[in-house]
Amino acid sequence: MAKKQVDEMSFLDHLEELRWHLVKAVASIVIAATLAFIFKDFIVGIIMAPKHMDFPTYVALCEMSTYFGMDMSFCAKELPFQIEVRSVGGQFSAHIWTSIYAGLVIAFPYVIYQLWSFISPGLQDNERRSSRGFILIASMLFFLGVAFGYYVITPLSLNFLTNYEFAEEVSNAFDLSSYNSIVRSSSLAAGFVFELPIVIYFLTKVGLVTPHVLRKYRKYALIVVLILSAIITPPDIASQVIVAIPILVLYQVSIYISAIVIRNQKRKTKRA
């Protein structure tokens, strides 16, 4: 029934439907951003935590470095930099934008729900049943990616970049927007990268990707992953491997998901 109703909708009706879903998604982000703006101290505490050496990642890496006799920079008392603001409205602007990005993270499940609400009426009943856990899985992958970016990529990047010395006469005094950018980009980028299995699922559904293609180009994907790891992490082998491993696991999971989709499509064709 839902499929029939979708077929009867005109192009303008689809646009109107999409518009309302987008309005609801944006409204959820605004509401979440408002809450983040109000509870500033809590959000600031999260943003500033990787700056301090009692951050869990630094503690764990310090213990590992001590055990294996590796680089001891993770065991320092503090990171060698200060955060400054060089514009009159810098702190207020940082408060606004931090709240917006925090609102996006908080409201992500509802944004995905609105996206799914727009797409699902065009699916067959069995397709909707098989994709019932889409919102939960997509949200879990996103939050897992954000956590990975926050607890792994951010501290690795900060430790390397703040300890790197171009000249002794140059001291590290970073602008607040620059610091926020590292935390934000590391967390959000990892969050969206972890959505790879979801993307592959839909690309397989529409016939743009197959398990054979994913396996065929696996070695090229490995090169891309290593390049991506080199871009978003400090230029040391250990950090790149730490970041590359979960991405490679996601790629392998994506192959498995693609294979399941193809198998279900073949079963459906045989029944027809």
Side-chain angles (χ1 to χ4, degrees):
M1 183 65 179
K3 178 70 174 177
K4 184 178 180 180
Q5 291 176 347
V6 171
D7 292 337
E8 293 174 353
M9 291 175 65
S10 67
F11 177 71
L12 292 179
D13 290 333
H14 281 294
L15 287 181
E16 180 66 13
E17 184 74 13
L18 176 61
R19 184 175 74 88
W20 279 110
H21 285 298
L22 290 176
V23 167
K24 292 177 182 178
V26 172
S28 69
I29 295 174
V30 171
I31 293 172
T34 302
L35 292 174
F37 186 88
I38 294 172
F39 295 98
K40 180 188 72 171
D41 293 341
F42 177 74
I43 299 298
V44 170
I46 294 176
I47 297 295
M48 293 298 171
K51 179 180 181 295
H52 305 290
M53 294 306 294
D54 59 353
F55 193 63
T57 306
Y58 296 132
V59 174
L61 290 174
C62 175
E63 293 178 354
M64 290 177 57
S65 299
T66 303
Y67 182 80
F68 291 105
M70 299 167 59
D71 179 21
M72 301 298 291
S73 62
F74 293 109
C75 300
K77 293 183 178 179
E78 61 180 12
L79 291 173
F81 74 98
Q82 296 293 326
I83 299 177
E84 298 180 351
V85 173
R86 297 183 178 88
S87 61
V88 175
Q91 296 208 40
F92 181 72
S93 177
H95 189 186
I96 292 291
W97 282 106
T98 299
S99 299
I100 291 174
Y101 285 110
L104 173 61
V105 173
I106 296 170
F108 185 82
Y110 188 76
V111 173
I112 287 294
Y113 168 74
Q114 289 301 322
L115 175 63
W116 181 245
S117 297
F118 176 72
I119 295 174
S120 59
L123 301 177
Q124 300 290 340
D125 290 339
N126 62 328
E127 291 176 331
R128 283 198 296 272
R129 285 194 297 270
S130 64
S131 307
R132 193 169 295 169
F134 167 75
I135 299 172
L136 177 62
I137 295 173
S139 299
M140 288 179 59
L141 286 173
F142 178 74
F143 290 132
L144 185 62
V146 169
F148 180 78
Y150 177 74
Y151 283 104
V152 178
I153 299 177
T154 296
L156 288 175
S157 300
L158 282 175
N159 181 74
F160 174 79
L161 295 174
T162 58
N163 281 288
Y164 186 85
E165 187 178 86
F166 173 72
E168 293 183 0
E169 293 81 4
V170 181
S171 60
N172 289 333
F174 305 135
D175 189 78
L176 177 60
S177 61
S178 178
Y179 174 84
N180 283 346
S181 177
I182 288 181
V183 179
R184 179 181 66 245
S185 59
S186 298
S187 301
L188 287 180
F192 289 120
V193 167
F194 271 54
E195 293 296 308
L196 178 62
I198 301 296
V199 174
I200 294 299
Y201 172 83
F202 282 104
L203 291 179
T204 305
K205 292 286 289 185
V206 299
L208 295 178
V209 170
T210 65
H212 173 72
V213 171
L214 293 174
R215 294 189 185 99
K216 180 179 178 181
Y217 292 101
R218 189 183 347 230
K219 58 183 178 181
Y220 301 107
L222 174 60
I223 296 174
V224 172
V225 167
L226 292 176
I227 293 174
L228 179 63
S229 302
I231 292 174
I232 63 179
T233 61
D236 65 88
I237 299 300
S239 299
Q240 292 174 18
V241 170
I242 290 174
V243 173
I245 288 175
I247 300 178
L248 290 174
V249 170
L250 286 171
Y251 188 85
Q252 187 61 41
V253 170
S254 298
I255 295 176
Y256 179 71
I257 291 174
S258 181
I260 293 177
V261 172
I262 295 296
R263 185 170 66 243
N264 290 339
Q265 289 177 342
K266 289 180 177 179
R267 287 177 180 174
K268 180 181 176 181
T269 302
K270 289 181 179 179
R271 291 173 184 173

